[in-house]
Amino acid sequence: TDLMVFDSQIHGEGARLGNGEIGQQGLQGWTTADQSLSWTFRLIEPATFKVALSYNTAHDNQNGTVYLTVDRQTMAVEYTAFVPVVEKDEHGRLRLRHTTLLAGHVTLSAGEHALRLTAGEYTGDVLMQPLFVTLNPDGSGESSR
């Protein structure tokens, strides 16, 4: 399950969603701890998930830490700069390559759950540009680029 940034609720002033154009995807202008993203989702049965965060950065000097909290379980995600690479897909359309980091694993009961993405410390003029959070029920996998 992918929780897309475009489906999140944005908290705090100044942060906004990009226009979806290449290089303007995800959250833009994320600079303070008062700004965050949240999602609510429902499970019909208990499950354990691998939680991953996909993102880009606007510049190659942007590094830092963000926090993913699922209910009361918080995972620190240290990220490094990943300026997006534009590629052509198998149909010749341009697409933006991103990177994905494993945040951790969570075990959740059936019912409604809340996920929040908050800021930690960072270098550069803004935080990362998160694109989506993935909850993968297989519980395996590693960080990838």
Side-chain angles (χ1 to χ4, degrees), residues 45-111:
E45 60 186 40
T48 298
F49 295 96
K50 173 180 74 172
V51 181
L53 174 62
S54 296
Y55 74 96
N56 288 319
T57 59
H59 305 286
D60 61 6
N61 68 339
Q62 296 171 319
N63 302 293
T65 303
V66 294
Y67 297 96
L68 275 170
T69 302
V70 182
D71 294 339
R72 291 189 174 101
Q73 302 172 62
T74 299
M75 297 161 271
V77 181
E78 292 183 23
Y79 68 93
T80 58
F82 187 83
V83 178
V85 177
V86 178
E87 301 175 326
K88 286 189 178 181
D89 68 13
E90 63 274 8
H91 304 289
R93 294 181 300 236
L94 293 179
R95 69 180 182 117
L96 195 64
R97 200 171 104 205
H98 60 271
T99 191
T100 301
L101 296 173
L102 177 63
H105 295 82
V106 294
T107 299
L108 302 172
S109 61

